[in-house]
Amino acid sequence: MNDKQENDSIEKPPLKKKIANFFGDVKRKIFKNKPKKEGSLNRNKRNQTIFIVAMLAIPAVHWLIFWLYINIQTIALAFQDVRTSAFTFDNFKQVWTQLTSPVNNSIGIALKNTLKYFGATVLINIPLSLVISFFIYKRIAGYKFFRIMFYLPAIISGLSLVTAYTEFINPNGPLGAIVKFFGGTPNSRSALGRPETATTAILIYFIWTGFTTNVLLFTGGMSRIPVEILEAAKLDGCGPARELTTILFPLIWPTFSTQLIFTMTGLFNSTGPILLFTNGQYETSTLAFWIFSQVYGNGVVGGSGTYNLVSCAGLCFTIAGVPLILLARKLVNKVDAVEY
């Protein structure tokens, strides 16, 4: 085959494509290095700046009004005398006195109980929520029923749940009947009416009703995991325990770590329904209830509250809590999230 036959065998582009390529080359040569007008550049830059300022204005104003202004007032109250509004450190001395006092409704008792509720959340509620979410995710027999049951406390009124729980642990209630059935003698006083058992009884209720949000979040995180990953693990002989600890848990780590950090931010706000159960009696007060009782004056709405003492205590616990939260966040961020 000669050169002419080879050239003829090569497919030539159509005329329409040749014309388009020609005008395309001409356009590129003419407008290749043509600078934009200076006025157009300035106008685009100005519009971009206006857009950024407008987008940041709303959160900035929200922060200035609802955080900075309120907290400035709170910090100022912590250093003011209750009667004269003069500068003083007496509020800090009073906080320290109550912190070391064993008297009921003092800050010391409230802090101890608050840490119990926080420990129950971190050591019991969150791990059990992970296990419960795993079994619901695996669609065990009756998983729809259990999913509803564990989320039911978030739907039913808290007052109804507290009433039902109080009647259940009553010496003359179902719990007393169970104790008698096994040959025991129930205490004549309810567990909520004794200082040595009241906080424990409320903690059990707190754990029972504390799975709702965690189970919802963890099951949602597990449902996003591709089925192929679990099928491959099953072919390799992976059991349920290993599937949960080495596959599912690392894959939902962003959800788990976020919930853990949120729990840390509420370190000193951890509490139960103290007002409904005991009204702070029998050494059941927490920091949240202590603030409520101090502000409203023995639970009477509109009573004269000690705002200065509350502001001082809030400032002290904020200073103590911020380093702990930042440390927890730093430790959590050291674990790399798995991409899938």
Side-chain angles (χ1 to χ4, degrees):
M1 183 182 295
N2 53 31
D3 295 340
K4 184 178 180 181
Q5 291 177 338
E6 289 180 359
N7 293 334
D8 293 338
S9 64
I10 299 175
E11 185 179 355
K12 296 181 180 180
L15 179 62
K16 185 177 181 181
K17 188 174 181 181
K18 287 183 178 180
I19 297 174
N21 292 336
F22 171 77
F23 284 105
D25 294 339
V26 172
K27 183 179 179 180
R28 282 192 294 270
K29 289 180 180 180
I30 295 175
F31 298 101
K32 182 178 180 181
N33 297 320
K34 186 175 181 180
K36 294 183 179 181
K37 295 182 179 179
E38 185 176 354
S40 176
L41 291 175
N42 293 335
R43 185 169 58 254
N44 292 337
K45 188 175 181 180
R46 183 173 61 253
N47 293 338
Q48 184 179 8
T49 304
I50 293 173
F51 174 78
I52 294 174
V53 171
M55 293 299 293
L56 295 178
I58 296 177
V61 172
H62 184 277
W63 182 83
L64 289 172
I65 296 176
F66 296 102
W67 192 93
L68 185 61
Y69 174 73
I70 294 175
N71 283 279
I72 285 178
Q73 296 291 327
T74 302
I75 296 172
L77 282 174
F79 293 94
Q80 291 179 1
D81 185 80
V82 179
R83 296 176 298 275
T84 63
S85 297
F87 181 85
T88 181
F89 286 103
D90 290 342
N91 295 322
F92 292 89
K93 295 178 182 178
Q94 191 173 353
V95 168
W96 177 255
T97 301
Q98 289 207 26
L99 190 61
T100 56
S101 174
V103 180
N104 188 27
N105 287 336
S106 66
I107 301 179
I109 297 295
L111 177 61
K112 182 178 68 174
N113 291 334
T114 299
L115 294 178
K116 288 181 180 179
Y117 286 98
F118 174 76
T121 301
V122 175
L123 301 178
I124 300 177
N125 274 78
I126 292 181
L128 281 181
S129 298
L130 186 64
V131 176
I132 293 169
S133 302
F134 172 70
F135 283 107
I136 293 177
Y137 170 73
K138 296 298 290 184
R139 297 176 179 271
I140 60 170
Y143 75 96
K144 292 183 178 179
F145 169 78
F146 289 109
R147 183 170 57 189
I148 296 173
M149 286 299 298
F150 282 113
Y151 195 72
L152 210 57
I155 303 174
I156 300 177
S157 168
L159 181 60
S160 302
L161 287 175
V162 168
T163 303
Y165 180 76
T166 302
E167 293 300 323
F168 177 81
I169 65 176
N170 192 290
N172 298 322
L175 184 61
I178 294 173
V179 173
K180 290 179 181 179
F181 178 80
F182 287 99
T185 303
N187 197 298
S188 59
R189 297 174 61 188
S190 173
L192 293 169
R194 291 173 284 155
E196 60 272 14
T197 58
T199 299
T200 303
I202 301 176
L203 272 171
I204 294 174
Y205 171 87
F206 175 78
I207 294 171
W208 170 49
T209 59
F211 297 114
T212 54
T213 304
N214 293 331
V215 170
L216 189 65
L217 291 174
F218 293 158
T219 52
M222 292 178 183
S223 63
R224 295 177 55 251
I225 299 175
V227 182
E228 293 79 8
I229 297 177
L230 302 179
E231 291 178 349
K234 188 175 181 180
L235 291 175
D236 292 337
C238 182
R242 189 174 180 184
E243 181 181 342
L244 173 62
T245 56
T246 62
I247 298 178
L248 290 176
F249 182 67
L251 291 176
I252 67 166
W253 175 251
T255 303
F256 184 87
S257 60
T258 301
Q259 186 65 11
L260 193 61
I261 293 176
F262 280 149
T263 304
M264 282 297 304
T265 57
L267 169 60
F268 295 114
N269 293 326
S270 303
T271 186
I274 309 300
L275 179 64
L276 297 177
F277 274 120
T278 62
N279 197 23
Q281 297 178 346
Y282 311 113
E283 298 183 0
T284 58
S285 178
T286 59
L287 288 176
F289 183 82
W290 177 84
I291 292 173
F292 168 80
S293 62
Q294 292 293 322
V295 170
Y296 288 105
N298 297 325
V300 180
V301 177
S304 58
T306 53
Y307 298 100
N308 301 71
L309 182 63
V310 170
S311 299
C312 181
L315 180 61
C316 293
F317 287 116
T318 300
I319 294 174
V322 167
L324 297 177
I325 297 171
L326 294 177
L327 177 62
R329 182 175 179 273
K330 183 177 180 180
L331 294 176
V332 165
N333 290 337
K334 284 188 175 181
V335 181
D336 296 329
V338 179
E339 299 291 340
Y340 61 93

